[in-house]
Amino acid sequence: MGEVLTEQEKLGARNEQAVKPLVFAYYVTGHGLGHATRVIEVARHLCGAGHEVHVVTVAPEYVFRRDIPSPKLHIRKVLLDCGAVQSDALTVDCLGSLEQYSRTAVVNRTALLAVEVEWLRSIKANLVVSDIVPIACKAAAQVGIPSVCVSNFSWDFIYSEYVTVAGNDHRSIVWQIAEDYSHALFVIRLPGYCPMPAFRDVIDVPMIVRKVHRSRHQVRKDLGISEKVKVLLFNFGGQDARWSLKEEYIPQGWLCLVCGAPAEQQLASNFIRVDRDSYMPDLIAASDCMLGKIGYGTVSETLSCNTPLVFVRRDHFNEEPFLRKMLEFNRGGVEMNRRDFLSGRWVPYLERALVIRPSFSGPVNGGEVAACLLEDAAHGKAYTIEPESGSRRLRDAIVFGFQMQRHPGREIDIPDWYMPTAICPGLGPVPRSHDSKGILQDAASNELGLEFEILEGSLHGLSDTASFLRSLARLDNEGDVQASDRASKPREREWLAAAGIFRWEDDIYVSRAPGRLDVMGGIADYSGSLVLQLPIKEACHVAVQRSPPGKQRLWKHTMARQLATGQGLTPVVCIVSFGSDLSNRAPTFDMDLADLFDSEGEPIAYDVANKYFDQDASQKWAAYVAGTLLVLMRELGVRFHDSISILISSAVPEGKGVSSSAALEVATMTAIAAAHGLTISPRDLAILCQKVENHVVGAPCGVMDQMASACGEANKLLAMVCQPAEVKEHVNIPHHVQFWGIDSGIRHSVGGADYGSVRVGTFMGRRIIQGTASKLANSFMEAREEADDVELALSTEDAEEEYLCNIPPHRLESGYEAVLPTSLSGERFLEMFSSHNDPFTKIKPDRIYDVKVPAAHPIYENFRVKAFATLLTAVHTDMQLEALGELMYQSHYSYSKCRLGSHGTDRLVSLVKQTRNQAYTKATSLFGAKITGGGSGGTVCVLGRTGATSQNQILQIQQQYKSATGHLPFIFEGSSMGAGQFGFLRIRRWSSKTMS
């Protein structure tokens, strides 16, 4: 029998356990010192409690020893992950990061795991702690000890966008990282956190912040700086030694403390170099504001000291939007655009930093709280939910693509303070009426005492347009900068910026352009196919106002730039985009109109414009907007002499494959044309907008998206032949037929590697077919046989054929299929043909391209689209719907053969098929589904019978997909008119006093 312990003995055993020293193995990611600084606070408390802490890191040892002078701390130098590799101080190299992680933690994974397992056993670790090294959790699982992560982000989330940007070759990395994390008991989640779907459970703690050691007065005294002097702390990792910090960069009378400046970097007399290892919290507390990049350490320490942070965005730094939102929520941040930072135009931003009043008052004892949680976990205290199977834990939750790309229906685990507004603020039904003068009146505008007189155009009964006008009416009231400074809660930066660009006493031009649902045709558009496109209900609104340079309302930094030239005020383009937080882009962009001209006064070349807008990823979106100006100048000879203010509010979700970019281009060009008295047909406008995307943005898309947005009609399919852009007809959708779009949650981009490589392979195939046809024609001519006249004519046509879609399937199968290689290297193709004759893509010699399948796809797709259009006019039977659905399924699987499918879209198509099979004995209602647009994610188009049964089945699929992936799909339902049919509104704001 076992010995029975008394209550006193049990109590003694628990006390002994509580004081027994533990051994912690604390792994620190190789990305930046910010992780090391927060690890210090947790490790300091663990060592202070008498525990042994072994820190596994590549950070300098002094960083830890300075704050933890304890024999209980041990440092082991090992690199187990690489974090994000940066090509410069502001740019993350996405492909380089994935490749480096592969070399660091994938190629040698077996050996690395073996070493870590042996080491963990040798130190007799009680708990593995990871910030946020994936392989550490796996090693702990193999040893049989628990692991806990401490972080505000995880690498599966960070790398997921890198995969979409750099191509899918490294997709397995994301899944492997997620699997590693799934072994952790839980994650101790820090404020400003990103979604971390791979973890089974989370425990939130306060901010982990290093304490200030010396007072503001003492630090300034040691540096010889008076209390009256304004001090800027400049801490910018990765500074280029060629950066010359000049006196005029900061306001007169200020001093700037420069951390980590290279010895050879030139500093003006008002810049003071401080030691690289200076204790940052003391310097932050002693400064009036800080200029740097957003990272957890910087944000947490500036907030805890209530020191304003002037920040510059980094490209592809995916934790940034969450930290930035926390910073702005506490009124602690001022954003500086990259161009002004690099050119030294800092003064307006620094002066703004002194006006805002940081208001953070939350607890900063996260280090102590985390240490207690880790002690409990090492002792075996159960904080977690019941363990689940790996398939359930992962449940396809890693949705590839930046998860900030969402819509109002997206459910995601984000902080309470992170409350991004809907893309179109105030969107929803609006009670409205019109008097004889065409004056819009609604409840919200009456309350504000502000109305718009519609001088030209019509609302067409569109509630989203009325809502957009309401948002304009709210700008002065809710977007006042000074009022926001005094308010209990700060306003969104985009609202503040928008309030400062319009002169309300003058005319404003408003346009509207919808997104589109690709019913049939898709990527065959660039091969000349017939396509069928449905304009959707969601649309982009753009408001434009032109102003003489002296009258335009300018932002302070724009005014400062203008005055610095000494030439007075010249035309400026100012752009504000609502919903910027939804896609992690800067909400504003401004440029001098002169930037669109070369030294000879001519509009700059398209490749020059592409490089201009490509300088800053967070503002690259402006190429879609400002690019319309350049295209109008180059293609139509238009000259713009006034300043232009542009406000954008789009309800077309980005990255969903429903042409958000085309809607933006078409709406922008329509409004600009209206404001300048230009008359452009919808078709011509669509072609011009395609030039914006192809030449200025640099995305090799076809023209169907812009045509659908510009020329579409509500509840009709736009049937057009892309040779180059000819509208055949507007096809009535039979009353018994309905289309839906279901978003897979996987980000789609026509600029992505897969779309581009498929297009290259398609044009390679066309060139090979042309060459083969030319040889056949020559052989027939040499034979001079009368019986071959037909074949001679056909071969001659094929040799000169510009569009693959004009070759019928039987010609492909009888004459060319056998000569098309399955794949071909770029180098070999260029040796054979020198060019594939596609002006929008480039062949990479070292890449292997699929050829046979991409070349065949548009030929068969064109046939399918023609059959689909014909079937729509057939007798209304189930056989008709089944045939239409079969064509959609064929199209979907043809995409998959082209490697343009995705696990999310395949799952949705499968769910549609399952729903139909389950209902087959009852009422078959959904008949077909296919991936849309450029593929590789995005939206699935579903065909069904009109009625409640189909609607219920669509909702059922939505919930099934959420259960399987954790993503609640957005459902696109309904249609609206294109930009050409809408026209434009010319409006002017007026007050209730004027009305009376």
Side-chain angles (χ1 to χ4, degrees):
M1 292 178 65
E3 183 179 355
V4 178
L5 297 179
T6 66
E7 288 300 319
Q8 187 172 0
E9 287 173 327
K10 290 180 180 178
L11 179 61
R14 285 197 297 269
N15 290 337
E16 181 181 352
Q17 183 188 54
V19 298
K20 180 182 177 181
L22 299 166
V23 178
F24 294 90
Y26 211 138
Y27 288 80
V28 189
T29 187
H31 180 78
L33 288 177
H35 296 269
T37 59
R38 68 190 186 198
V39 167
I40 287 170
E41 276 302 298
V42 181
R44 184 170 65 84
H45 285 285
L46 291 173
C47 290
H51 305 303
E52 299 278 341
V53 180
H54 295 259
V55 175
V56 183
T57 182
V58 292
E61 186 169 344
Y62 79 86
V63 173
F64 297 91
R65 296 292 183 193
R66 178 179 56 191
D67 283 9
I68 313 176
S70 169
K72 298 287 186 180
L73 177 70
H74 311 278
I75 306 296
R76 174 172 171 248
K77 288 296 188 71
V78 178
L79 177 64
L80 294 173
D81 72 348
C82 62
V85 176
Q86 294 190 211
S87 54
D88 58 44
L90 290 165
T91 307
V92 172
D93 181 350
C94 295
L95 181 59
S97 298
L98 294 169
E99 291 177 340
Q100 183 63 34
Y101 185 86
S102 180
R103 289 191 294 268
T104 303
V106 177
V107 175
N108 301 317
R109 179 176 172 83
T110 302
L112 289 175
L113 273 171
V115 170
E116 294 312 302
V117 167
E118 183 180 353
W119 177 73
L120 288 172
R121 286 172 176 158
S122 71
I123 65 170
K124 299 180 179 178
N126 298 104
L127 183 73
V128 166
V129 188
S130 178
D131 185 356
I132 177 97
V133 181
I135 202 171
C137 302
K138 180 69 172 180
Q142 290 192 359
V143 176
I145 60 177
S147 62
V148 174
C149 291
V150 183
S151 186
N152 63 304
F153 73 86
S154 55
W155 287 115
D156 52 343
F157 172 74
I158 301 298
Y159 285 158
S160 64
E161 187 198 15
Y162 298 178
V163 170
T164 65
V165 171
N168 290 329
D169 293 343
H170 295 281
R171 179 181 299 188
S172 60
I173 286 177
V174 178
W175 286 100
Q176 183 186 86
I177 291 173
E179 177 63 35
D180 285 348
Y181 286 147
S182 72
H183 292 288
L185 290 177
F186 54 85
V187 58
I188 295 176
R189 195 166 58 176
L190 307 180
Y193 58 80
C194 306
M196 292 185 275
F199 293 99
R200 286 182 281 169
D201 204 2
V202 298
I203 300 177
D204 291 307
V205 299
M207 281 202 309
I208 297 178
V209 181
R210 291 181 294 175
K211 293 184 176 180
V212 173
H213 291 164
R214 296 183 296 160
S215 68
R216 170 187 173 97
H217 174 75
Q218 185 61 52
V219 173
R220 285 181 171 240
K221 181 179 179 182
D222 293 345
L223 293 171
I225 300 174
S226 167
E227 289 287 343
K228 297 180 180 180
V229 175
K230 299 299 180 185
V231 174
L232 167 67
L233 177 61
F234 181 56
N235 185 25
F236 217 88
Q239 292 180 54
D240 191 326
R242 293 170 296 179
W243 288 359
S244 179
L245 301 180
K246 301 178 182 178
E247 182 177 354
E248 62 269 21
Y249 284 12
I250 62 177
Q252 189 173 7
W254 283 45
L255 287 177
C256 180
L257 306 179
V258 185
C259 302
E264 61 272 29
Q265 186 174 5
Q266 295 182 0
L267 304 181
S269 59
N270 50 350
F271 288 79
I272 303 173
R273 197 186 308 269
V274 297
D275 294 338
R276 185 180 296 272
D277 61 348
S278 297
Y279 190 62
M280 193 57 55
D282 289 353
L283 293 179
I284 291 174
S287 303
D288 294 285
C289 63
M290 180 177 177
L291 173 56
K293 297 175 285 188
I294 285 182
Y296 181 84
T298 299
V299 170
S300 62
E301 289 174 355
T302 53
L303 282 178
S304 67
C305 294
N306 278 320
T307 299
L309 173 63
V310 180
F311 62 88
V312 183
R313 295 191 190 216
R314 283 184 272 187
D315 299 344
H316 307 300
F317 196 68
N318 295 359
E319 66 172 316
E320 181 177 285
F322 298 88
L323 293 170
R324 185 182 70 246
K325 195 68 181 179
M326 183 172 70
L327 188 71
E328 294 176 349
F329 180 82
N330 291 283
R331 217 190 302 268
V334 174
E335 181 174 346
M336 179 186 297
N337 72 54
R338 186 177 301 187
R339 286 175 298 146
D340 285 344
F341 169 70
L342 294 175
S343 59
R345 294 190 286 263
W346 300 357
V347 173
Y349 303 96
L350 301 181
E351 291 177 341
R352 173 69 185 148
L354 292 188
V355 175
I356 65 174
R357 298 189 303 251
S359 57
F360 181 78
S361 58
V364 292
N365 62 333
E368 180 181 3
V369 175
C372 292
L373 290 169
L374 294 175
E375 284 182 298
D376 287 344
H379 284 307
K381 182 174 180 179
Y383 275 107
T384 60
I385 58 177
E386 288 299 315
E388 299 168 316
S389 67
S391 61
R392 169 62 182 84
R393 289 198 301 266
L394 294 179
R395 11 162 254 180
D396 293 341
I398 308 304
V399 177
F400 293 107
F402 191 38
Q403 296 189 49
M404 289 290 288
Q405 296 267 6
R406 66 184 181 284
H407 48 72
R410 175 69 181 268
E411 288 187 359
I412 196 166
D413 191 14
I414 58 174
D416 292 337
W417 47 260
Y418 190 86
M419 296 292 289
T421 58
I423 297 179
C424 182
L427 192 64
V430 184
R432 62 189 184 276
S433 61
H434 295 80
D435 66 9
S436 59
K437 297 180 180 179
I439 298 172
L440 172 69
Q441 301 180 38
D442 58 60
S445 58
N446 280 336
E447 290 176 8
L448 295 174
L450 299 168
E451 307 286 336
F452 281 102
E453 182 180 4
I454 299 179
L455 303 173
E456 278 187 77
S458 169
L459 286 174
H460 298 282
L462 293 166
S463 62
D464 61 341
T465 303
S467 181
F468 177 67
L469 296 187
R470 281 197 303 155
S471 71
L472 289 181
R474 291 165 50 194
L475 283 178
D476 261 355
N477 290 63
E478 298 193 12
D480 182 78
V481 175
Q482 292 182 346
S484 177
D485 291 336
R486 294 189 295 268
S488 58
K489 292 183 179 180
R491 290 297 304 165
E492 299 266 345
R493 183 185 165 209
E494 59 195 37
W495 280 88
L496 299 177
I501 62 172
F502 291 133
R503 292 175 295 104
W504 299 111
E505 66 274 13
D506 290 341
D507 292 355
I508 296 174
Y509 293 81
V510 174
S511 63
R512 179 191 184 278
R516 65 94 186 96
L517 183 63
D518 168 36
V519 175
M520 288 291 286
I523 59 168
D525 65 339
Y526 54 69
S527 295
S529 177
L530 174 70
V531 298
L532 298 173
Q533 307 297 306
L534 177 68
I536 60 177
K537 178 177 62 178
E538 290 76 15
C540 175
H541 286 86
V542 172
V544 167
Q545 185 178 70
R546 53 186 292 193
S547 310
K551 291 183 65 178
Q552 186 184 26
R553 299 175 67 183
L554 298 176
W555 299 313
K556 289 185 178 180
H557 70 271
T558 312
M559 178 69 76
R561 182 183 71 236
Q562 288 263 299
L563 296 179
T565 64
Q567 300 176 357
L569 298 178
T570 58
V572 174
V573 179
C574 292
I575 308 169
V576 179
S577 175
F578 284 160
S580 57
D581 277 331
L582 302 181
S583 54
N584 191 29
R585 63 172 182 265
T588 66
F589 177 86
D590 64 281
M591 65 182 297
D592 296 332
L593 196 58
D595 291 347
L596 294 177
F597 294 90
D598 59 23
S599 58
E600 298 179 356
E602 294 298 319
I604 58 176
Y606 287 132
D607 61 334
V608 175
N610 178 264
K611 293 177 182 177
Y612 176 90
F613 291 107
D614 206 32
Q615 297 176 79
D616 185 349
S618 71
Q619 293 190 319
K620 187 175 179 179
W621 60 268
Y624 294 97
V625 183
T628 61
L629 298 171
L630 180 62
V631 168
L632 288 171
M633 288 192 291
R634 289 189 60 85
E635 304 300 327
L636 300 186
V638 179
R639 289 296 181 266
F640 300 99
H641 304 289
D642 289 337
S643 293
I644 302 174
S645 299
I646 304 173
L647 175 65
I648 301 157
S649 180
S650 182
V652 186
E654 298 177 34
K656 307 301 182 188
V658 290
S659 297
S660 59
S661 60
L664 173 58
E665 292 155 354
V666 170
T668 300
M669 188 174 286
T670 300
I672 288 173
H676 292 82
L678 304 175
T679 301
I680 308 174
S681 71
R683 175 190 178 275
D684 291 344
L685 187 135
I687 294 174
L688 291 172
C689 288
Q690 185 199 15
K691 291 182 183 293
V692 175
E693 190 141 1
N694 289 162
H695 298 300
V696 183
V697 178
C701 70
V703 73
M704 72 176 189
D705 299 351
Q706 291 81 5
M707 285 290 289
S709 185
C711 305
E713 293 184 7
N715 301 309
K716 295 182 180 181
L717 295 179
L718 176 73
M720 60 167 289
V721 176
C722 305
Q723 300 186 19
E726 301 300 331
V727 175
K728 299 288 288 184
E729 60 179 323
H730 292 91
V731 180
N732 289 315
I733 301 173
H735 294 302
H736 69 294
V737 174
Q738 186 169 351
F739 297 101
W740 294 265
I742 307 179
D743 156 43
S744 69
I746 299 175
R747 184 182 179 188
H748 150 88
S749 171
V750 294
D754 293 316
Y755 177 91
S757 63
V758 169
R759 176 164 175 153
V760 169
T762 303
F763 278 81
M764 280 182 169
R766 186 191 71 171
R767 188 69 184 86
I768 291 171
I769 288 174
Q770 287 174 331
T772 302
S774 180
K775 291 178 182 179
L776 284 173
N778 289 335
S779 67
F780 288 135
M781 290 182 66
E782 291 173 1
R784 297 183 181 278
E785 297 179 9
E786 189 172 328
D788 292 327
D789 284 350
V790 174
E791 286 297 321
L792 171 62
L794 291 174
S795 298
T796 302
E797 287 179 11
D798 292 348
E800 299 173 353
E801 182 55 64
E802 184 178 354
Y803 298 102
L804 263 182
C805 287
N806 289 339
I807 298 176
H810 78 272
R811 290 284 297 165
L812 170 70
E813 294 176 359
S814 65
Y816 309 118
E817 190 174 46
V819 301
L820 287 172
T822 302
S823 60
L824 191 64
S825 73
E827 182 179 28
R828 176 62 180 143
F829 178 86
L830 292 172
E831 288 174 356
M832 296 166 59
F833 295 100
S834 75
S835 173
H836 65 328
N837 297 327
D838 178 17
F840 306 125
T841 57
K842 294 182 179 179
I843 296 176
K844 297 180 180 179
D846 59 346
R847 178 156 189 172
I848 304 296
Y849 294 94
D850 292 340
V851 176
K852 178 172 285 187
V853 170
H857 172 81
I859 293 175
Y860 288 110
E861 184 72 1
N862 188 44
F863 180 82
R864 285 189 289 264
V865 180
K866 289 179 178 179
F868 194 95
T870 302
L871 276 169
L872 281 174
T873 63
V875 177
H876 303 168
T877 64
D878 279 1
M879 186 176 295
Q880 176 209 29
L881 293 172
E882 288 171 1
L884 290 169
E886 173 61 26
L887 291 171
M888 295 181 75
Y889 287 133
Q890 289 182 19
S891 177
H892 177 79
Y893 292 112
S894 185
Y895 264 81
S896 297
K897 289 180 181 178
C898 291
R899 303 189 188 185
L900 288 175
S902 74
H903 68 278
T905 50
D906 285 346
R907 183 185 291 275
L908 284 169
V909 171
S910 178
L911 288 172
V912 171
K913 293 168 69 177
Q914 290 174 22
T915 300
R916 185 184 172 206
N917 291 338
Q918 292 165 1
Y920 202 83
T921 58
K922 301 177 183 178
T924 303
S925 196
L926 300 181
F927 290 85
K930 64 176 282 287
I931 194 171
T932 63
S936 296
T939 293
V940 164
C941 178
V942 180
L943 165 74
R945 182 186 284 108
T946 304
T949 301
S950 294
Q951 188 69 40
N952 290 336
Q953 290 177 352
I954 290 291
L955 295 176
Q956 179 184 347
I957 290 171
Q958 181 188 45
Q959 292 304 317
Q960 289 174 331
Y961 191 79
K962 181 189 174 185
S963 297
T965 68
H967 169 75
L968 180 68
F970 185 88
I971 296 176
F972 296 96
E973 181 180 7
S975 179
S976 64
M977 65 180 64
Q981 195 172 12
F982 179 87
F984 65 88
L985 300 178
R986 180 167 66 92
I987 62 174
R988 184 178 298 161
R989 192 173 181 178
W990 59 285
S991 68
S992 57
K993 182 177 180 180
T994 305
M995 180 179 178
S996 61

